[in-house]
Amino acid sequence: MTTALLPTDAPVPANDRTVVGENLSLPLFRTLSGVLAGHPYLKVVVDRREDTWHLLDTAAHPFHVNYIATRVLGMDVADLDADLDAFNASVYMDPERRFLLGVLSLHSDEDTEGRERLFLVLETTEADTMHGALLEHFYAFVRERVDGRLPLLLKPANHGQEEELAAISEQRVPRILSHELFGTRTRTPLNTGEATGRLRYFRTTAEYQAAAGGLGWSDIVAMPCLPDDVQRVTGFINTAPITPLSHTNVLATGWGIPNAIVRDLEDLIDRDGLDGAWVRYRVHEDEITLERLAEAPELRAPVWHQQRIRLETPLLGDAPVLSLHRLRSADRDRYGTKAANLGELHHVLDSRTADLTAFYGRPRPPRDDLYGHLATRLGLRSPSAAELRAAATSFVAGMVEAPEGVALPFSLQHRFLTSSPALQQGIGKLKMALELDATDVLDSLCLQLQHLIRHAPMPESVAREITRSFPTPLAEGSRLVVRSSSNAEDLPGFSAAGVYDSVTTVRGTGELLDAVRQVWASLLSPRSVRLRHQVGISLDDAYMGVIIQVYVPAALGGVLVTCNPTRREDFRNVYLNCSPGSPEQVVEGAVLPQQYLYNTVEGGGRTLDLGSWSEGLPADTRARLADLSLTSRLLQSHFSAPEVDAPLDIEWLLTDQGDFHLVQIRPYAL
């Protein structure tokens, strides 16, 4: 090990193979590297003052900054931790910095004749703000010292670096973008976890539907794209691309089951005979495995199979139809969770009294808090606590709007259901079937009830309360959106993503009443009744509120979660999906959306996947999405309190006028 540049009093980890100043050959790379996301990688530090570089032994040095501070500069770890943010700024953000930090990763593709070709990729960390000249110098320095037989490409780590590189010739700095490198990878984790079960592989939706009745809780369902109405099993596998924010992955996350994209599954099935076999399925951040078991294991029923969720008692006394801005979160027992959360959003934006900084006040060792980072994001220098809170609420209020609309209470649905003897008789039969666990008649009873609800006459008093809630838009024939808002969704341990109906193309009184009945009926679909029954939610306790809104055209729409779904320890990033048009296209899987990751601590963003599009969004639009991501992080402080680290799931749209509307806010289960 070369140590000429290291302080003599720096502790040297046992078996540390770090080298300084040597050229990099492929054997040396393999000696020093670790593995991340299935690819060998090696940390490098370029010292511009000494005109040399350090190749870090990955096993001995998990962090660049710790190595520089202790092994090059002779600092104590305690001194580093005491001023970590300032030190990070000096190595990641100072335009005149001494050290350039990066990672070399080894990849492979095929040449024109089908032979494997190895190549290296150089990148910095996501928060690095290297300008164009530094990026070019970094690439040239490394290129000169790497085996010339290995192609070397620079991968910009964030949108800022992409824009800096745009002015530099690709002949001088060959490059590859993140979505180009990882967009077609064979295996991608969606929800981490482990499961043991019987693998059931279906090539088409028709194959799945033909076998769905025979699936059980111990099965692992694999197919190109799982349907939104997939039943509860022990694991999902997709063989075609899908986003972590699809309905099925939100279900997987809420249910705590592993889910991944495994494009080579058919090859594995043919090779190892996995279809119908018992397997151990593991989805980790850097590895996805399927291990065939020699025999059927002894399985315990999963936790959710014995899980019992109790709802707060729904309040069914007469309640008025109210504008969303008059609701608060406590109204969920009368109007449902979605409506109550939108009402709470109105309150946050209008009152500006909520503390939206609590997430940044949580200790992130060795940091006491992240208030300084938030101040930087908001353009402040050394603000008081009160000034920071005021700036946060003003930023959020200026960035997003809450949707206008009205909420129908549970009492209207209750009055409708009790107005019909046929409905009451059908509900009684369904309750009896559930008590007797008569699963063979459950589906038919649910379907009969849904038919009755959609076609039963609505009491005049109920119809009048609904139609007079939006008299002008109805008279003008404006397009309305009718959304579900149940008390049996968005609960700890129970996700109902995609389970209940919403209707987005409503015009006129007749269509409005039909849409309300359709939303009410979705509470009694075979799937929703089965899912609730599995976790002990009583039919007597589940009710459906309804949200009615004027349709708002969207230039861009999507969904975001205030976390990184595949790296649960990551407190920095917000994961955002979007596509032109309404957010329904994203959540329903009608298109494969563009996928972005935005850092809400140090700033910056990255493009992960272009989805169904050939190019990404303009730089100014991406910058606005960064502001939206910061806004969502600030709202997390209020909507997740007191557990401010609990992430949110937010549907949003960007209007043609350039305004952000938040359509839905709910917890995102991890």
Side-chain angles (χ1 to χ4, degrees):
M1 178 177 67
T2 304
T3 58
L5 297 178
L6 305 181
T8 56
D9 59 347
V12 179
N15 302 318
D16 183 2
R17 296 164 294 185
T18 295
V19 299
V20 180
E22 294 186 17
N23 287 349
L24 181 63
S25 63
L26 190 55
L28 179 58
F29 178 92
R30 295 191 186 279
T31 298
L32 299 175
S33 65
V35 176
L36 182 64
H39 299 283
Y41 79 103
L42 171 66
K43 296 182 180 69
V44 300
V45 174
V46 171
D47 188 336
R48 299 171 69 204
R49 180 183 300 173
E50 301 292 341
D51 194 34
T52 192
W53 70 339
H54 302 237
L55 305 176
L56 277 56
D57 181 355
T58 303
H61 301 290
F63 301 108
H64 289 88
V65 291
N66 286 48
Y67 174 83
I68 294 171
T70 61
R71 300 288 301 279
V72 179
L73 301 178
M75 296 172 59
D76 292 328
V77 173
D79 293 336
L80 172 64
D81 288 348
D83 206 14
L84 182 60
D85 288 330
F87 191 88
N88 281 340
S90 73
V91 294
Y92 291 126
M93 300 171 190
D94 185 347
E96 303 300 326
R97 69 192 76 170
R98 171 182 172 181
F99 300 104
L100 306 180
L101 283 57
V103 170
L104 276 168
S105 54
L106 185 65
H107 301 261
S108 66
D109 59 11
E110 292 184 353
D111 63 18
T112 56
E113 297 180 1
R115 294 172 299 194
E116 183 182 42
R117 181 188 73 129
L118 297 177
F119 64 97
L120 289 169
V121 172
L122 174 66
E123 64 178 305
T124 68
T125 64
E126 64 182 40
D128 199 298
T129 61
M130 279 193 201
H131 53 71
L134 273 184
L135 288 167
E136 186 171 4
H137 174 74
F138 191 30
Y139 175 83
F141 191 101
V142 174
R143 172 70 281 178
E144 184 179 341
R145 291 160 177 79
V146 170
D147 188 332
R149 293 169 295 180
L150 288 173
L152 176 67
L153 302 175
L154 180 68
K155 182 169 81 68
N158 50 53
H159 292 146
Q161 289 187 2
E162 288 181 25
E163 292 160 17
E164 288 288 325
L165 283 172
I168 300 174
S169 165
E170 290 200 39
Q171 291 184 327
R172 297 208 310 267
V173 182
R175 68 206 64 165
I176 188 168
L177 302 181
S178 180
H179 64 270
E180 295 171 332
L181 185 62
F182 296 118
T184 59
R185 61 184 175 181
T186 303
R187 301 180 187 181
T188 304
L190 295 173
N191 192 57
T192 56
E194 298 186 7
T196 298
R198 184 181 55 159
L199 182 64
R200 302 294 304 277
Y201 176 52
F202 306 104
R203 290 171 174 80
T204 65
T205 301
E207 284 186 14
Y208 166 79
Q209 290 172 339
L215 295 176
W217 61 262
S218 60
D219 288 323
I220 297 169
V221 176
M223 56 190 299
C225 185
L226 284 89
D228 282 352
D229 62 353
V230 62
Q231 67 186 67
R232 194 163 187 174
V233 290
T234 200
F236 293 159
I237 303 175
N238 302 267
T239 61
I242 193 172
T243 168
L245 300 189
S246 66
H247 271 157
T248 51
N249 195 56
V250 172
L251 289 174
T253 303
W255 293 342
I257 63 175
N259 188 18
I261 300 169
V262 183
R263 294 191 180 189
D264 60 342
L265 181 64
E266 191 158 359
D267 294 338
L268 298 177
I269 285 174
D270 292 342
R271 187 189 71 190
D272 300 330
L274 295 180
D275 189 18
W278 290 92
V279 300
R280 184 168 291 111
Y281 174 37
R282 295 186 176 96
V283 179
H284 297 162
E285 292 175 6
D286 56 356
E287 187 179 33
I288 299 165
T289 60
L290 279 166
E291 175 191 356
R292 178 168 181 164
L293 304 178
E295 56 186 24
E298 291 186 13
L299 295 178
R300 293 182 179 179
V303 172
W304 63 263
H305 213 259
Q306 297 94 27
Q307 189 177 23
R308 289 296 175 264
I309 293 175
R310 296 289 178 259
L311 301 182
E312 297 177 15
T313 303
L315 303 178
L316 303 178
D318 282 344
V321 175
L322 287 181
S323 296
L324 290 175
H325 73 268
R326 295 181 61 187
L327 300 182
R328 296 293 301 275
S329 59
D331 291 313
R332 61 184 177 272
D333 299 328
R334 283 189 174 88
Y335 297 88
T337 306
K338 289 180 187 174
N341 283 347
L342 290 178
E344 189 70 18
L345 176 62
H346 274 282
H347 170 74
V348 170
L349 299 180
D350 294 341
S351 71
R352 304 195 184 190
T353 58
D355 179 10
L356 303 184
T357 68
F359 173 87
Y360 289 86
R362 184 67 61 88
R364 312 288 173 183
R367 305 168 182 83
D368 293 333
D369 56 63
L370 299 175
Y371 285 140
H373 287 284
L374 177 58
T376 300
R377 301 277 70 76
L378 297 176
L380 304 175
R381 297 186 64 181
S382 303
S384 66
E387 290 170 336
L388 188 62
R389 288 179 62 170
T393 56
S394 295
F395 179 84
V396 170
M399 184 56 56
V400 298
E401 297 181 22
E404 299 298 331
V406 300
L408 309 185
F410 297 159
S411 59
L412 285 185
Q413 185 201 23
H414 180 65
R415 283 162 55 188
F416 170 73
L417 294 176
T418 56
S419 71
S420 167
L423 280 172
Q424 288 300 294
Q425 185 180 33
I427 291 172
K429 289 180 179 178
L430 180 58
K431 288 180 182 177
M432 181 65 69
L434 291 170
E435 289 175 8
L436 298 175
D437 203 24
T439 56
D440 56 329
V441 299
L442 198 62
D443 286 10
S444 62
L445 289 174
C446 288
L447 292 173
Q448 290 170 20
L449 263 175
Q450 286 191 287
H451 179 81
L452 282 172
I453 291 172
R454 292 192 185 103
H455 296 91
M458 187 176 290
E460 184 179 345
S461 61
V462 174
R464 186 168 54 250
E465 289 192 47
I466 295 172
T467 55
R468 73 184 183 188
S469 64
F470 258 112
T472 302
L474 281 172
E476 295 175 347
S478 298
R479 179 177 170 183
L480 302 178
V481 176
V482 178
R483 302 184 185 277
S484 59
S485 180
S486 172
N487 64 336
E489 60 184 324
D490 304 334
L491 303 169
F494 183 73
S495 172
V499 171
Y500 305 123
D501 286 355
S502 292
V503 187
T504 62
T505 56
V506 177
R507 295 183 189 273
T509 299
E511 289 189 8
L512 174 60
L513 296 179
D514 287 345
V516 170
R517 277 188 290 237
Q518 179 178 333
V519 172
W520 284 343
S522 67
L523 190 72
L524 292 168
S525 70
R527 182 178 182 231
S528 66
V529 169
R530 285 179 181 276
L531 289 175
R532 292 196 303 271
H533 183 61
Q534 287 170 350
V535 296
I537 295 177
S538 168
L539 194 63
D540 287 329
D541 291 337
Y543 275 85
M544 180 66 74
V546 177
I547 301 168
I548 305 173
Q549 301 165 274
V550 175
Y551 173 77
V552 178
L556 191 69
V559 60
L560 63 82
V561 291
T562 57
C563 64
N564 182 344
T566 60
R567 289 190 59 206
R568 302 185 180 190
E569 75 281 3
D570 179 3
F571 61 83
R572 290 175 163 83
N573 285 295
V574 163
Y575 181 79
L576 182 147
N577 285 187
C578 63
S579 68
S582 72
E584 281 81 9
Q585 291 188 93
V586 174
V587 298
E588 293 174 0
V591 297
L592 193 61
Q594 296 192 17
Q595 302 173 39
Y596 297 92
L597 206 60
Y598 286 99
N599 185 324
T600 60
V601 178
E602 290 89 1
R606 289 182 284 159
T607 302
L608 301 182
D609 199 310
L610 294 183
S612 302
W613 286 266
S614 58
E615 56 185 46
L617 297 170
D620 58 343
T621 303
R622 295 198 308 249
R624 295 212 62 202
L625 293 181
D627 289 339
L628 175 65
S629 299
L630 177 59
T631 297
S632 69
R633 178 70 80 200
L634 294 170
L635 289 172
Q636 180 180 333
S637 292
H638 179 75
F639 282 91
S640 296
E643 299 298 328
V644 295
D645 277 350
L648 299 177
D649 176 335
I650 298 177
E651 288 183 28
W652 57 272
L653 59 85
L654 180 65
T655 69
D656 292 329
Q657 291 72 41
D659 301 318
F660 281 115
H661 288 236
L662 303 190
V663 180
Q664 179 174 298
I665 299 179
R666 62 184 177 187
Y668 180 74
L670 277 181

